[in-house]
Amino acid sequence: MPTPAPQPEPRQKPKPVLYRNGSVYTAADPFATAMLVDGDTVAWVGSEQAASSIADSSMEIIDLHGALVAPGFVDSHVHLTESGLALDSLALQGVSSARELLDAVAAATGDGPVLGHGWDDTTWADGALPGAEELERASGGRPVYLSRVDVHSALVSPSLAGAAALRGLDGYDGGARVTRAAHAAARQATRRLPDDVLRRHQQRALAEAASHGYVALVEMGAPHIGGAGDLRVARTWNNLEREGSPTPEVLPYWGELASSEEHARSILDQLGPGVRGLAGDLNIDGSIGSRTAALRSAYTDAPDETGSLYLSVEEAAAHLAACSLAGIQGGFHIIGDAGLDAALQALELAAGEVGEQRVRAAGHRFEHVEMVDAAAVETLARFSVTVSAQPAFDAAWGGSGGLYEKRLGGRSKSMNPFAGLYSGGVPVCFGSDSPVTPLRPWSSVRACLEHHNADQRISARAAFLGHTRAGWRAARYPNPMAGQLVPGAPASFAVWEVEELMVQVADGRVQSWSTDPRARTPLLPALDTGTDPVCLQTVRDGMELYSSPALRS
């Protein structure tokens, strides 16, 4: 008889942990200063006096020294491997010209492909891009792939174009810049990596997220991004019996078009358990920055271009109908107003085929949805579609002289209408689209408070809930208590060193009222200080994901 493989040791239940002498963001008690964690559950929250009465030698006691304990963040749209690669490759966000970009390529060390991310030609004084042969010379013949900040186009060298067989593909004209199908092929040519390398890049991204207070990340996989193998690796991080340190929970989606209920089920069966739906980066269109977002009328700075529709209304409708019949979430990546028009028409067609109630019950989600008018808000609310948005997009590209204004002119003022979505009854959750914008949750909350269109600002509390509890709900997480710190809820939280706690609202007329203790409104960090709160610890289901030495000092 063969010797059975050794089984991993079961995780020992940790000592209860009492956090005290700080602040706890909880609906159970807006003045709570202490919290007891027992195993994977919040056991109690309350006052400092009560904490003194329950503290004993069986507990680990952590003095918060005024720090804030709050529900951990959920990033509702990330790309793990892409994020890890971006963290470990050329950072091109600060590049301001073609010459600087070529210098960065020439300085790249190593002997494999030269990979980089983050260039944004709209910020350059001279928007001219380097040529393909210039990239080849700068790299010394090494293949080059440099993704634009939105990751919907890239610069590639001739050696990479040849290896990826770009000739004849839509979006390749022989030059350095590639879009659409050519961009997908170029990216995939640099992503054919062994599982251990994929795991290393994903671990890099997960560690970065944990150090900034994230307890869960919604992974948006798709065939044109990393392939099924990439998603299968991402699923394994939730296996707590494997060796290694615990990580933020990964909530994976797969962006592949389904044509029928049977087809939808077969796609999920092939991917294996844990995939939450056929949504995410199933692209209806592209991006504003790369001028591939589908618009009703032409780009202001390119009068002959209106972007690209990658799916027909009929294809999108069949997908939504298939997912609705299978009882799973479907959805799309949508940026432009013409892209949203197509998605909303698809909702109507799907409802006509399978019934509106089935469509609503599936809980579909649309990613980004940046150009939304009042009629679209009404339709999204009617079909109970969740919008997964990225507040940092407005912080980076909104406002006078920003990318949106350059590309869209006056239309830019109506971008990312968070207040309009909330007031219209559309469920909203928030994320970063990392590596497009960094994994910085408090910066994202601040972007909601400081939206360039004052009419679309929302309160810090609404933004915080959109980054926490709403993220769990949008992913149809089975535990309804996830995302809050009350007795019986999962012990998934972060500890923050903060300068000041307050209530911050979009309308200054209610500021003084809402900070009155009688309002019993839990307090959040002041976000007008110019710096983000510092993460001291991140915990998921009672397991420590990250800890700063300052926490227990």
Side-chain angles (χ1 to χ4, degrees):
M1 294 288 289
T3 303
Q7 297 298 308
E9 291 290 329
R11 291 181 179 269
Q12 292 187 340
K13 183 176 179 180
K15 294 171 63 174
V17 182
L18 177 64
Y19 295 83
R20 60 182 303 181
N21 190 29
S23 297
V24 182
Y25 187 92
T26 173
D29 179 358
F31 310 119
T33 62
M35 179 176 78
L36 179 65
V37 172
D38 190 4
D40 61 0
T41 305
V42 175
W44 169 86
V45 293
S47 68
E48 196 60 29
Q49 181 179 2
S52 297
S53 68
I54 65 173
D56 62 40
S57 60
S58 70
M59 303 173 181
E60 178 186 5
I61 299 177
I62 294 179
D63 189 332
L64 294 169
H65 298 289
L68 170 69
V69 181
F73 286 101
V74 179
D75 193 308
S76 290
H77 190 120
V78 302
H79 305 282
L80 286 175
T81 299
E82 294 289 310
S83 296
L85 278 164
L87 290 166
D88 291 329
S89 61
L90 295 179
L92 303 174
Q93 290 85 352
V95 164
S96 60
S97 68
R99 182 71 263 160
E100 288 186 17
L101 187 144
L102 290 169
D103 289 344
V105 171
T109 58
D111 55 8
V114 178
L115 305 179
H117 167 72
W119 59 271
D120 183 357
D121 51 320
T122 65
T123 66
W124 300 357
D126 177 357
L129 298 173
E133 295 298 336
E134 290 180 296
L135 286 174
E136 193 82 6
R137 287 194 297 272
S139 70
R142 296 164 62 189
V144 178
Y145 170 88
L146 309 175
S147 55
R148 194 182 182 281
V149 64
D150 55 15
V151 202
H152 280 266
S153 61
L155 300 174
V156 301
S157 63
S159 56
L160 181 64
L166 301 189
R167 185 179 297 277
L169 293 183
D170 179 38
Y172 179 66
D173 61 5
R177 183 172 178 263
V178 292
T179 60
R180 300 188 294 275
H183 173 243
R187 175 163 58 179
Q188 288 176 324
T190 65
R191 302 315 194 245
R192 299 188 185 107
L193 303 170
D195 283 1
D196 62 324
V197 177
L198 292 173
R199 176 172 287 277
R200 186 172 72 243
H201 289 309
Q202 292 183 8
Q203 188 171 36
R204 177 78 166 88
L206 288 162
E208 175 76 4
S211 71
H212 290 282
Y214 289 100
V215 295
L217 302 172
V218 179
E219 166 68 6
M220 293 299 181
H224 67 279
I225 298 177
D230 185 60
L231 190 76
R232 291 190 182 101
V233 172
R235 286 194 304 109
T236 65
W237 294 105
N238 295 335
N239 179 8
L240 297 180
E241 297 304 319
R242 63 174 175 76
E243 295 182 5
S245 302
T247 67
E249 186 162 357
V250 177
L251 306 173
Y253 285 83
W254 181 242
E256 183 174 346
L257 195 67
S259 57
S260 67
E261 177 184 359
E262 294 73 21
H263 187 205
R265 294 186 186 280
S266 71
I267 293 171
L268 291 182
D269 288 344
Q270 291 168 22
L271 292 169
V275 179
R276 312 192 75 80
L278 301 179
D281 272 0
L282 174 53
N283 289 358
I284 271 189
D285 66 351
S287 74
I288 300 293
S290 293
R291 296 196 195 91
T292 50
L295 304 184
R296 294 171 182 167
S297 56
Y299 284 87
T300 299
D301 58 352
D304 295 329
E305 298 184 36
T306 56
S308 304
L309 269 180
Y310 299 134
L311 298 177
S312 69
V313 171
E314 291 72 23
E315 287 173 320
H319 179 75
L320 292 173
C323 292
S324 298
L325 289 170
I328 60 175
Q329 288 178 290
F332 312 101
H333 160 115
I334 305 163
I335 298 285
D337 48 10
L340 184 57
D341 288 344
L344 298 179
Q345 291 174 48
L347 277 171
E348 299 283 5
L349 286 177
E353 180 180 341
V354 304
E356 185 170 319
Q357 184 54 40
R358 265 206 171 116
V359 173
R360 288 172 55 88
H364 301 307
R365 54 186 294 156
F366 290 174
E367 309 298 312
H368 314 310
V369 192
E370 293 199 76
M371 301 178 73
V372 196
D373 58 24
V377 168
E378 183 178 346
T379 302
L380 290 167
R382 178 159 60 90
F383 286 107
S384 298
V385 174
T386 294
V387 166
S388 170
Q390 290 69 44
F393 286 9
D394 179 75
W397 302 312
S400 178
L403 167 70
Y404 292 154
E405 186 175 79
K406 291 177 181 178
R407 293 284 192 264
L408 303 173
R411 290 170 290 179
S412 64
K413 296 178 181 178
S414 61
M415 297 285 287
N416 299 298
F418 302 143
L421 290 166
Y422 271 84
S423 63
V426 177
V428 181
C429 60
F430 294 121
S432 65
D433 197 13
S434 177
V436 176
T437 66
L439 291 158
R440 300 292 186 272
W442 289 114
S443 292
S444 189
V445 172
R446 182 187 297 107
C448 294
L449 273 170
E450 299 177 353
H451 196 293
H452 283 94
N453 181 347
D455 291 338
Q456 296 303 330
R457 294 172 181 168
I458 59 175
S459 69
R461 179 175 182 272
F464 181 74
L465 292 176
H467 284 84
T468 53
R469 194 172 185 183
W472 295 110
R473 290 183 172 183
R476 304 181 78 186
Y477 198 72
N479 189 337
M481 300 183 76
Q484 52 186 323
L485 297 180
V486 295
S492 296
F493 57 90
V495 179
W496 301 95
E497 182 178 271
V498 295
E499 296 182 23
E500 181 185 3
L501 294 173
M502 62 185 297
V503 173
Q504 297 147 101
V505 295
D507 187 344
R509 293 172 299 177
V510 298
Q511 185 87 5
S512 60
W513 171 84
S514 60
T515 55
D516 189 313
R518 290 171 296 182
R520 298 186 63 83
T521 302
L523 304 179
L524 286 167
L527 297 175
D528 57 358
T529 62
T531 59
D532 286 353
V534 175
C535 186
L536 299 175
Q537 186 190 40
T538 307
V539 175
R540 174 173 75 87
D541 294 331
M543 299 176 293
E544 187 172 78
L545 311 183
Y546 166 80
S547 180
S548 164
L551 176 72
R552 294 179 172 91
S553 62

